[in-house]
Each structure stands twice: as structure tokens, then as C-alpha cells.
Amino acid sequence: MQIQLQLHINNNIHNLHVDPDRTLLSVLREELGVTGPKYGCGEGKCGACTVLMDGNPVQACSVTVGAAAGSRLTTVEGLAANGRLHPIQSAFLEIGALQCGYCTPGMLMSAAALLDAHPQPSLAEINHFMQDNVCRCGAYQRIVAAIQRAAAILQTGDAVNPVISTEVAVMRPFDTAEPVPTKNDEGIFVAYPCPDLVMARYGEDAEIPAPEERELQDIGPWVHIDGEGAITVCVGKAEVGQNIRTTLAQIVAEELRISADMVRVVLGDTGLTPFDMGTFGSRTTPVTGAQLWRVGATARELLLDLAAAAWSVARTTLQITGGVVSHPASGRSATFGDLARDRNLLRIAPDDAPITPPSAWTTAAGQPRAKVNGQAFVTGQHPYASDTALPAMYYGKVLRPPAYQAKLVSIDSSAAAAIAGVTVVQERHDEEDFVGVVGPDEFTASQALDAIRTRWQTPLQVSQPELFEYLKANPVEGEGRRGPYLAVEGSVEEGLAAAHFTLSQQYTVEYIAHAPLEPRAAVAQWQDGQLTVWTGTSRPFGVRTELALAFGLPETQIRVIVPDTGSGYGGKHTGQAAIEAARLAKAVGAPVKLVWTREEEFTWAYLRPAGIIEVTGGVDAEGRFTALQLLNTNSGAAGIETLYAIPNRHIAYQPADSPLPQGSYRSLAAPANHFARETFLDEIAHSLGIDPLEIRYRNLQDERMKAVLTAAADGFGWGKSTPAAHHGFGLAGGFDKNSYIATCAEVYVNPANGQVKVVRVVAAYDCGAIINPDTVRNQVEGALVQGLGGALFERITFANGRLLNANFGGYRVPRFGDIPTIEVVLLDRRDISPAGAGETPIVAIAPAIGNAIFQATGVRLRALPLAPHGVQR
Ligand code: FES
């Protein structure tokens, strides 16, 4: 039943005719377009939707609009006043207290309320007050620092609040007319011929046109300088919080000797950007970045050539800086726009383009640079896929089985279809039933879904207690790169026979969830046979292929647009939500938005694989490995190889039949393999009475690995003190994707209840030359926090095809109170090409914590999570 009511929002009055039982969140977002408050969980457990009600923080998903009527409501859009940001917004920008930014609006509102109640909050007050707000990217330490900074601003009246810019739209709004130049436009174009693109676009055997003859989209990453000097970079990657929009701008800016502010980066749109395999594997910096260095350098050289030719001077006599090429001897100068005007030039960047070595970076790279569109995030103006709204748009819901493998036996949707404005969609695809509903708003669509009566048949399935036994008993061949994997060197038998000390242990890891704060979401629109989908994914072109297969369409008739997304951590590679939204939109002939619930996100996405890792090893009297045998069942081969110098090795990965859907995760299986190996080595060290750092030195020849261990140990003060009672120190190191991490941890284990508190973490990281130290530091901090969750308490529980904790109430993720003091030491190796930084820092935190728990308690924990209910003695 709908009634008339009035909402006071951000000093505006809105008269509405709505069902008073709808949540405040749905009315704000769907009826009023106030999309700053985000959907995160729908149960008041994540804080993404926090707004102020008469000055008090409330979670808008848990308040009905009827209850909110008459109260004074403030959302993030109303936090700034008089054209200036609120101090907490300024502080978030200044500190860089965000990654994907999806939690940011809710964080800001809770923090604003905290500062209102406690203008100078203590750390304990911050942790207590903010405990309901989740930052899945793990930017907690920065958020705390931002709150403290805002408190200082409030106390001193520092005038640091920038005036709100009207130009926050680095992300385009929901139109499909992004003004990206085409090949025939005026200006200078430089593109790099991407081999991945050639393979995907033309295949192996086809006759491939010369790059110059192709459309821009069919060449590779490109830059354009127009007649006004505007610089656009176009890349098919997706921004999911790792800050590549900023890093890629810095790369091109460095080569052009300009500020990164002058570079606009267009990402993740299959209708505009060149093909890209996907944003995974930490490939953006070493692969796409390497291409953009060449693009930028070629563009710079072209600008110099044009100026030299125009002025008939030697190009070596020219200078280039700040978007201007000048000839000091004659006093002549020309802007980039002057040089690009009235031309139409396309150059293909060669592999030997004169890129600037890291040792010579001076302009934009190698220095901290704030998120280029940060202001849009702290003002609630950044539109995520789940914020997309189109005219005459409907809202969809999909009927899910009660368990994996359940088959629909019967369905009665008459009651749902009878609801005004609702359409029930029932189809069969690939021998599977697809049932969904479409309604005028999410509340109605949910009611309709609930009204469908069904019967299902569910086969008996493996439950958690039998998991590891089942995985061992059910090996599979795997596909492609998924294994099996085997590396053998020397003879393990002989190495063990020659050992002074041998050990065999088994380690296990449970399934864990990515739980990105923005669940999967998609808006689909069909127009004249063309399908356009806005969705959050790290594989825009992969999702386009999935859509093409699902609908039997050529890819040219499909456009996938990926707004900067509310994180993924390897969990948003697939396009289920996009396909579902497109099916519903096609069925009703109108645009449809589909946002997965938190429970759907947990259940119907995919999980980090569970696994068993069996390790046998031998060492000599000094602790040097004589042999190592490691068998990983199911969790994966990433990080399975070791940097330790071991003459006799047998390293194997055996895929298994997973009872739960599993897939990529941040750093894949490297955290699991490092957990097993680094714990195993710690066990040997303690057995032989050798210092854990020393035993690593003795087994390492890799200088970069030794260097990060030394840096972390020095920063931590390893060996300089003994832990206090019930405290322990642990360390671990790791390598993945050409970068190195060493992590030291201090834990406190409460003797009364076994609860573990990680007190302090020091991590040293080497990812080669660092383009943006602040971004890398932020990524390391986030990876450590996410790794801490997986180390201590994150795990999926399940029985007979059903997840038992598919929500933030049951699935514990790190929160403010869990966060240790984190110190990050960056080894900026200007002599080594940059590597990606988003994944590797996660690999060593779990063994470091486990090893510290052992020192604190004498209890050796060999299963991840280590202590979901505390350490049991
Ligand atoms: Fe907090 Fe991504 S920045 S969830």
C-alpha cells in the first residue's frame, strides 16, 4: 500500500507516494537518485548505506522509509557545505583513505557523526564507533588517520578543504556518447600494437592488416593529443580499486613531461577501448604499463620532431615541459595543442621507443599521486555499475535454487505475476531453468520473487566435515593452466636419506569468499538489436564474449561498459549478472537493473579454493634444505615453487572435484602455498633451535628476497627484543609475479579465551621501480588486512550444497578492531622494471601470524583460518 510522505534530505524536502515498508535505502536510490548510500549487505552489517538521521548514523538498508519520514536526513551528497568539503572529506583525500571507494560514503557519514559526538576521538573510540563499517579493501589504517586528521582540522581550523570542483566527472555518466576521439579526428594519435589483441581479434592464421590500417580499437592502447592540447589515453583495463587510472596517467605523463592531471584515462568500455584480456594477474603495470611507456615516449618524440621541422632546428636543441615544446635559443615555443592542430597523424609505437628509465623519472612517475578522481568518491558522485539508472528502467530479481545442483521440479508463479507491474520471466537455457521477475522497483521485485512457489530436488552433497577427505579422493585432470603441475629435480628420497632432520606435515585451507563490498550488478539495455550492459567486472571483453555466446550475437552488437568498480580481488571475472540482466531486459523490452544480494554474492559467485598441502622435507644440521616434497591438492599451483635453494625437489599440484564453485582469488593459490611452506620452515627452525630469519638466509640465494627479509626484520626490530607475556613474533617471506614480500607480525593471544589480536605488522615489499609509492603502500596495507582475515577467521561453512554463513553476520571479515599497526617499507628498485603490486603482498601474512601464535602459545596451527574461535590449547 502506498502512502504520501515527506522526506527531508540534505536540506531539501521531497514529497513521495511510496510504500512505507520500503527501506529508506531503496527509496533514496531508486526514487530520488540519491546514490551516495550504497547497498552492501541489506542487513545493517557493513555500513555502506550509512546516512545521518537527525544527526545520528543509521544504516539505510535497515530503516523503513516510513520510519525515516519527518526526520532530518543527511547523505554523503549533503556533507559538504557552502561549496567546501567537510573536513572528513578533505582528510580522506589528503590521506588517500580509499581504494575502490565503495565503502567511502558510508565511512564518511559514520566518521562525521563520530566527530560530531567526539571532536577529538581516541583510537579506541574510533574503533568502537566505526565497528559497523566494513572496508573490504582494507584501508582501515588510513581511514583512522583521516579521522584523526579531520579532528585536527576541526580543532585548528586549518583551511585545507578544497572548494568542490564542478568537474568531478572523470567517470562518465550514464550516456553512451563518451567523447572519445576517432582515428579521423584532428590531432596526433600514437598506439601500441598489442599482441594479445591481435590474437583475440584476428586469430593465429588470419592475414593481419598492418597496424596503421586498423581502427584504433584494433591496434592496442593509444594516446591522442587534440588541437586544444587535451590528452586522452584509452586502455581496455578495468579500475577495481587498484588505482590504475592514476598510475597509467602517470606513465604517459612522465613520458610527455607533464603533470598526470593533464591526462584523461578512458578504461573498460568495449565500445571505445582496445581489446584487453582482463585486469588480473598483476599484469596492468608490467604489460599494459610497458606498452604505455612506449606510447608516451613515441608521442613525445613525435612532438619534438614536429617542432623541429616547423622551426628548422635540430631537435636536440628543443625542450619539452608542461605541455609546451620550446626552443630556448630562439625563444620560440608551441603548446602540444599547437603542434597537434590541423593534423591527423597516427604513429605506431615501436618496442624500442626511447622510454624513460626509472632512474631518470622526474615529472610524474616515481612519486605519490592522489587518486585522479578522488573527489567524486568522497562526494558520492562517482557512479558505480550498481548506481546506473536509465529512463524507464525496471528492477530484476532471479530465482535461485536452495542448494547447488538443485533441480526445479515444479513452479507456480501465478501469485507473483498477479502483482501490479510485475513480469515473471521463465526460460530454459542450456538445459537449465532460468526464472526471474521484473518490477518497477526492487521492493516489488523482491515481493514477487518471494511469492513464487517452487519444489526442488537436491542431490546429497559433500558437507564441510568430509571436505578434505573428499578432495583427496576425487582428483580431476583440470583444464588448461589449471594443472596438474609437476616439477621434479634431483631425488627427494636421496635428499631425505642424507638429511640431519626430516619432517612431514599437512596443512589445509578452507574456502573463503572475496566478498567485494559492491556485489555483482548489471544494467542491460536492448536497442535496435544492440545490447549495452553496464557492469562491474575485471574482464569487460570476456563478459562481452559471454554475452555473445549466451545470446548468439556477434560481439560487434554488444557493448560492455565498466564503471570504476567496487573492488573484486579476483572475484569478478565472470558475467553472470550481466547475462541475467540482459535476459530480463530482453524479455520485458526495457532496461533492467539487477543487483545481487549479499547472499547471492557469497553463494553464486565463486570462492577461493579449499585445499590440502602435504609437505615433507629434510635439512642438514645447519637447517639447509636437502629435500622438499610438496603436494597441493585442489587449491592451486600459484606460488608453489620456492626461492629456497633445494637440490632435491618434488613439487606437485593435483586439481580435485570441488563441491563448491571456486575460481581466482587475489594471488590465486600463492597465499595457501606460502602458508604451508613458510610454516613448515618455521617448524624446522624451532625444532633445530635456529632463528627463523637466519634459517631463511641460509636457504636463500636470491638477493631480492634476502633484501626484503632484512628490511622487514630491521623495521620490526627482529631479534632485538623478546615478546611480552602471551605475545609472539613471527615472520615469513614470499615471491609471486616478479615481486617480493617479507612480513613480520606480533600477536597477542588472550590466555583467558585464546582470542588472537594481531598487534603489529611490518612488511617490506619490492616490486621493482615504483610508479606511485602511495598507491603501492595502500595496496600492501589492503592486502595485509585481507590476508589477516583469511589467516585468522574467514571461512565459508557449508552443508549438503548450502552455504551456512552467506552474509556479513556469519562470515567474519576484518573490521576496525581487528587492525594492527601496519608499517610498510618499500624497496624502490629503480634498476628493475615495475611489477604489479596488488597481489603478492598478501602471501606472507598468514604464515607470519601463525608463526607468531606458535611463539606466543607453543601451539602450532596448520589450518587456515588459524583461529576462528581463538587458539584451542
Ligand atoms: Fe573500502 Fe574498497 S575502499 S571497500
Side-chain angles (χ1 to χ4, degrees):
M1 181 192 65
Q2 298 196 337
I3 63 169
Q4 200 73 27
L5 52 78
Q6 200 171 64
L7 289 182
H8 299 236
I9 306 168
N10 301 332
N11 297 323
N12 293 311
I13 294 176
H14 300 266
N15 291 302
L16 295 161
H17 192 68
V18 292
D19 189 319
D21 290 335
R22 283 177 67 177
T23 65
L24 173 61
L25 182 65
S26 83
V27 172
L28 286 172
R29 292 177 56 81
E30 296 165 27
E31 305 300 329
L32 300 172
V34 179
T35 55
K38 305 297 182 201
Y39 173 84
C41 67
E43 55 172 346
K45 292 279 196 292
C46 78
C49 62
T50 304
V51 302
L52 303 186
M53 209 159 117
D54 295 326
N56 299 310
V58 297
Q59 308 219 345
C61 71
S62 303
V63 176
T64 65
V65 68
S71 297
R72 186 170 43 86
L73 299 168
T74 310
T75 71
V76 70
E77 290 92 340
L79 196 53
N82 304 319
R84 301 188 75 80
L85 296 178
H86 186 285
I88 189 64
Q89 292 171 304
S90 287
F92 261 61
L93 291 178
E94 185 186 332
I95 303 285
L98 67 161
Q99 292 186 18
C100 78
Y102 195 78
C103 70
T104 303
M107 288 285 180
L108 290 168
M109 300 315 292
S110 292
L114 165 64
L115 290 165
D116 213 27
H118 304 276
Q120 300 301 314
S122 65
L123 178 60
E125 285 172 325
I126 293 172
N127 286 342
H128 179 73
F129 203 91
M130 302 293 293
Q131 189 69 1
D132 288 341
N133 287 76
V134 169
C135 175
R136 188 60 174 147
C137 294
Y140 291 107
Q141 184 162 275
R142 286 164 176 255
I143 294 168
V144 169
I147 293 170
Q148 291 167 333
R149 173 72 184 125
I153 294 171
L154 285 165
Q155 192 171 43
T156 62
D158 276 4
V160 297
N161 312 0
V163 174
I164 296 172
S165 165
T166 53
E167 284 189 46
V168 292
V170 174
M171 266 310 305
R172 57 196 172 280
F174 310 120
D175 59 39
T176 53
E178 166 77 357
V180 168
T182 61
K183 195 178 172 185
N184 297 326
D185 285 339
E186 177 191 63
I188 293 169
F189 293 88
V190 177
Y192 181 87
C194 172
D196 289 345
L197 181 150
V198 168
M199 184 62 73
R201 172 73 178 79
Y202 300 101
E204 241 172 23
D205 304 324
E207 201 165 304
I208 301 165
E212 294 85 347
E213 291 164 19
R214 302 180 217 150
E215 289 303 315
L216 282 173
Q217 255 199 294
D218 294 334
I219 304 174
W222 52 264
V223 65
H224 172 244
I225 303 172
D226 75 7
E228 301 301 315
I231 299 165
T232 303
V233 169
C234 208
V235 177
K237 291 287 179 199
E239 171 66 80
V240 290
Q242 73 284 50
N243 212 20
I244 59 168
R245 187 180 289 284
T246 306
T247 307
L248 297 179
Q250 287 178 276
I251 290 173
V252 175
E254 179 65 43
E255 291 296 3
L256 291 175
R257 314 293 189 241
I258 57 176
S259 163
D261 295 331
M262 295 173 66
V263 180
R264 180 179 67 130
V265 179
V266 177
L267 297 172
D269 183 333
T270 67
L272 301 176
T273 59
F275 170 86
D276 180 82
M277 282 212 300
T279 310
F280 50 72
S282 293
R283 287 167 50 91
T284 302
T285 298
V287 178
T288 308
Q291 297 173 352
L292 279 182
W293 285 111
R294 285 157 178 77
V295 165
T298 304
R300 182 191 67 237
E301 296 304 303
L302 176 57
L303 289 163
L304 290 168
D305 285 344
L306 293 172
W311 300 330
S312 300
V313 298
R315 64 198 304 289
T316 51
T317 61
L318 298 176
Q319 292 180 352
I320 181 168
T321 184
V324 175
V325 179
S326 59
H327 183 245
S330 65
R332 278 178 289 195
S333 67
T335 66
F336 288 3
D338 295 336
L339 293 166
R341 198 168 303 132
D342 299 327
R343 299 184 197 271
N344 175 249
L345 291 177
L346 170 62
R347 291 284 185 277
I348 302 303
D351 279 327
D352 62 354
I355 64 172
T356 308
S359 57
W361 292 345
T362 54
T363 315
Q367 45 197 282
R369 175 73 177 76
K371 198 173 177 71
V372 291
N373 48 348
Q375 194 165 255
F377 289 84
V378 301
T379 53
Q381 295 181 51
H382 170 72
Y384 294 87
S386 50
D387 297 329
T388 307
L390 298 177
M393 185 179 78
Y394 287 85
Y395 293 80
K397 288 282 170 194
V398 173
L399 183 73
R400 306 290 178 190
Y404 300 121
Q405 301 181 42
K407 296 287 176 220
L408 187 60
V409 175
S410 67
I411 179 168
D412 175 3
S413 58
S414 55
I419 296 175
V422 166
T423 303
V424 177
V425 179
Q426 190 168 352
E427 302 170 349
R428 264 186 87 74
H429 298 280
D430 301 327
E431 309 296 309
E432 296 287 333
D433 289 292
F434 173 79
V435 180
V437 296
V438 170
D441 53 65
E442 201 163 334
F443 180 72
T444 307
S446 297
Q447 283 186 319
L449 194 70
D450 291 344
I452 296 176
R453 294 285 159 259
T454 54
R455 264 193 334 112
W456 301 84
Q457 200 166 51
T458 305
L460 199 61
Q461 295 171 62
V462 177
S463 295
Q464 196 161 23
E466 308 105 51
L467 173 65
F468 297 120
E469 200 180 325
Y470 177 86
L471 292 174
K472 287 296 291 181
N474 288 275
V476 297
E477 277 306 301
E479 294 166 13
R481 292 177 302 151
R482 297 185 190 280
Y485 172 89
L486 179 66
V488 180
E489 190 157 323
S491 164
V492 168
E493 287 77 16
E494 289 175 16
L496 291 174
H500 164 75
F501 175 81
T502 62
L503 184 68
S504 286
Q505 292 295 358
Q506 175 176 301
Y507 305 85
T508 58
V509 297
E510 302 264 11
Y511 291 105
I512 64 176
H514 309 80
L517 207 55
E518 182 189 27
R520 278 160 177 71
V523 173
Q525 180 182 43
W526 294 84
Q527 269 181 334
D528 304 324
Q530 289 274 338
L531 170 62
T532 304
V533 177
W534 290 257
T535 192
T537 176
S538 44
R539 290 177 64 247
F541 291 85
V543 170
R544 182 179 69 172
T545 301
E546 288 185 45
L547 288 163
L549 290 170
F551 293 98
L553 284 176
E555 292 186 351
T556 50
Q557 284 176 234
I558 301 169
R559 182 176 180 186
V560 175
I561 300 173
V562 178
D564 291 13
T565 294
S567 76
Y569 324 112
K572 283 185 179 165
H573 287 358
T574 50
Q576 303 102 304
I579 292 171
E580 291 164 356
R583 279 181 184 157
L584 295 174
K586 191 173 187 190
V588 297
V592 169
K593 179 194 282 196
L594 175 72
V595 179
W596 280 18
T597 63
R598 177 54 54 190
E599 184 177 357
E600 288 177 300
E601 177 63 40
F602 269 107
T603 310
W604 300 105
Y606 52 86
L607 304 166
R608 186 192 77 176
I612 307 134
I613 302 152
E614 296 156 276
V615 189
T616 297
V619 294
D620 64 19
E622 277 75 48
R624 291 187 179 85
F625 274 114
T626 58
L628 182 74
Q629 178 169 304
L630 185 149
L631 170 60
N632 177 317
T633 300
N634 192 58
S635 77
I640 201 167
E641 284 291 2
T642 174
L643 291 178
Y644 298 125
I646 306 173
N648 302 294
R649 291 180 293 124
H650 187 286
I651 309 293
Y653 156 56
Q654 175 57 58
D657 174 38
S658 171
L660 303 187
Q662 61 182 26
S664 300
Y665 183 83
R666 194 174 200 167
S667 215
L668 302 172
N673 285 315
H674 279 82
F675 165 65
R677 193 169 49 238
E678 289 294 287
T679 306
F680 185 78
L681 185 54
D682 199 71
E683 296 196 49
I684 291 174
H686 282 279
S687 298
L688 297 184
I690 303 172
D691 179 83
L693 177 62
E694 176 58 28
I695 201 169
R696 286 169 171 80
Y697 285 148
R698 290 181 189 178
N699 279 288
L700 278 170
Q701 289 168 356
D702 188 301
E703 293 304 322
R704 290 177 74 184
M705 193 65 238
K706 284 186 189 176
V708 291
L709 280 166
T710 302
D714 288 349
F716 188 79
W718 186 267
K720 300 278 191 296
S721 62
T722 49
H726 313 300
H727 285 240
F729 301 154
L731 70 76
F735 166 83
D736 194 27
K737 302 183 175 76
N738 205 25
S739 67
Y740 299 73
I741 185 81
T743 305
C744 296
E746 177 182 355
V747 303
Y748 164 69
V749 183
N750 187 324
N753 57 18
Q755 292 299 316
V756 179
K757 167 71 182 167
V758 183
V759 177
R760 182 178 175 229
V761 170
V762 178
Y765 186 47
D766 166 8
C767 58
I770 296 174
I771 298 168
N772 186 334
D774 191 56
T775 287
V776 172
R777 201 174 286 281
N778 203 347
Q779 286 296 308
V780 175
E781 291 167 6
L784 292 171
V785 170
Q786 192 159 41
L788 181 152
L792 283 180
F793 39 70
E794 284 189 43
R795 67 168 169 180
I796 288 291
T797 56
F798 64 99
N800 197 26
R802 288 180 173 85
L803 303 195
L804 304 178
N805 60 342
N807 51 55
F808 280 141
Y811 185 91
R812 183 176 169 194
V813 295
R815 292 174 181 265
F816 278 91
D818 297 312
I819 307 307
T821 302
I822 299 173
E823 298 158 47
V824 175
V825 183
L826 298 180
L827 280 65
D828 187 5
R829 294 290 304 261
R830 293 292 176 102
D831 56 326
I832 297 171
S833 297
E839 298 187 89
T840 303
I842 199 173
V843 304
I845 180 76
I849 291 173
N851 295 341
I853 291 173
F854 175 75
Q855 197 189 38
T857 63
V859 177
R860 179 61 73 179
L861 301 171
R862 301 187 182 91
L864 290 183
L866 297 163
H869 307 296
V871 177
Q872 315 292 321
R873 297 175 197 242

